[in-house]
Amino acid sequence: MRTARAENCLILGTSFVTRIALYGALSLAILELTGCGGTSSSGSSTSSSSSGSSSNSSSSSSSGIGSSSSSSGSSSSSGSSSSSSSSGSSSSSSSSSGGGVWQQLNLPATLAQGGVSKVLAAHDGYLYAGGTGGVFRVLVSSLVANPSDSSLWENLTATWPTSNGTPLDVSYFAEGPTGKILAAAGVDTVDVFCAVCVIASLNPSTLVWSKSNLYQPGLEGRGIDFDSTGAIWVAAQQRGIFKSTDGGVTFGLIVADPYANFGQTTGYIYGLSIINDRVYWGGEGALNSTSLSFQSNTLETGGAGYGLNQYHVASDGTEETAATEIYSVGRQDSNGSVVQHYANGAWSDMSFASTLYWEVHVVVKGLGVHEYYYAGKHGTSGGVAGTTDGVNWSLLNNGLPAGEQQNVDWLTISPLTNDLFISFETSSAYGGEIWMR
């Protein structure tokens, strides 16, 4: 996954995030810092292979970081198991709001009216935003200087995929190793497949979108990432996991139901990312990691009954290097925790009282060594939480109204300036908004 700083960043994704490639230097320095599902059985604690947890390890055949492993075909060899000391996260001692203040951005009318489904802050210095009103971008440095100027936004919709003349919604954004911007275009609903969903890629020189084959009807992309060879991997909500080896022109099916494939209860896939050439994927079940051949699998999340609806991970690893720590987010486990943390060879609940029972769709890594942020909501509670040391967590809702807190859906962070951006449930009254911190 695309790295966001010298110590690396993962999006499941998004997501969702690889080697650092800084395309422009921005002068702004940001100094402030800155759970719904039923219970499911946790992963067992034994493992036949050691975790790949050294930050300088790059074995592509190493086992995943975590607990019980199973095999569907050939087994994989273990990777390096040494782990540098990493801050723990089993509890939090802070619940005060951080020093930054959220402010609303003034958006182009077409973007706002169509609703903002996803946002991505990329290494080229731009913030990308998309929904049924089209896809737009704006320089982060320009937003910082003048967040109220809607004319700063550049419309990228002219060649964006459409259906019956209407721009397809954006279900995921991703940035490739060379800075290419990709997006999953089109969404589906439960048991109603999307017959027009594709993966679109943006030519950085011409700003023209090209689209992939349909692969098969029913693909809503919920995670896009790259392995060390440059192959593109996509998690399709109702259709499984796909892979492209021709730059996203065509995709082929790798596995239709990875949960069932490895002896777990069948379920949809809600996220995917690649760390050290292992595919980390999850959805209506626990977080798993699998070899690129999809022959060996490790059940990762193993803490306190976690296992229902895993959405996203962030880590300090890349597609080529192992992670010393990983954060996994989703719906609550039996303890109400919505975040799990891997460090020092084990997974544990990250129990921050202010965010218990939230539903969290996204977690991102900041520029600091142990700096992470996640966004979610539950009932009348919601917003953004963050840490700069991996121990002390804070609610970061200063300036964010209650309505927006209760409907926050997606979060991205600038890999250049550490600015945070959030979008909201498009079905809510706040679906046409983006806020910056």
PDB file of all heavy atoms in Angstrom, residues 26 44 55 343:
ATOM      1  N   LEU A  26       5.071  20.696   0.179  1.00  0.00           N
ATOM      2  CA  LEU A  26       4.160  21.687   0.716  1.00  0.00           C
ATOM      3  C   LEU A  26       4.747  22.220   2.020  1.00  0.00           C
ATOM      4  O   LEU A  26       5.327  21.472   2.799  1.00  0.00           O
ATOM      5  CB  LEU A  26       2.783  21.063   0.966  1.00  0.00           C
ATOM      6  CG  LEU A  26       2.132  20.470  -0.282  1.00  0.00           C
ATOM      7  CD1 LEU A  26       0.810  19.828   0.085  1.00  0.00           C
ATOM      8  CD2 LEU A  26       1.921  21.542  -1.320  1.00  0.00           C
ATOM      9  N   SER A  44      -8.273 -18.623  17.002  1.00  0.00           N
ATOM     10  CA  SER A  44      -7.559 -19.361  18.022  1.00  0.00           C
ATOM     11  C   SER A  44      -6.159 -18.815  18.198  1.00  0.00           C
ATOM     12  O   SER A  44      -5.636 -18.099  17.371  1.00  0.00           O
ATOM     13  CB  SER A  44      -7.505 -20.844  17.632  1.00  0.00           C
ATOM     14  OG  SER A  44      -6.816 -21.016  16.428  1.00  0.00           O
ATOM     15  N   SER A  55      10.047  -4.611  10.689  1.00  0.00           N
ATOM     16  CA  SER A  55       9.729  -3.594   9.697  1.00  0.00           C
ATOM     17  C   SER A  55      10.629  -3.655   8.485  1.00  0.00           C
ATOM     18  O   SER A  55      10.308  -3.090   7.457  1.00  0.00           O
ATOM     19  CB  SER A  55       9.824  -2.199  10.334  1.00  0.00           C
ATOM     20  OG  SER A  55      11.139  -1.960  10.768  1.00  0.00           O
ATOM     21  N   ALA A 343       0.576  -5.707  17.903  1.00  0.00           N
ATOM     22  CA  ALA A 343       1.936  -5.270  18.222  1.00  0.00           C
ATOM     23  C   ALA A 343       2.604  -6.348  19.051  1.00  0.00           C
ATOM     24  O   ALA A 343       1.952  -7.080  19.797  1.00  0.00           O
ATOM     25  CB  ALA A 343       1.932  -3.946  18.993  1.00  0.00           C
TER      26      ALA A 343
END
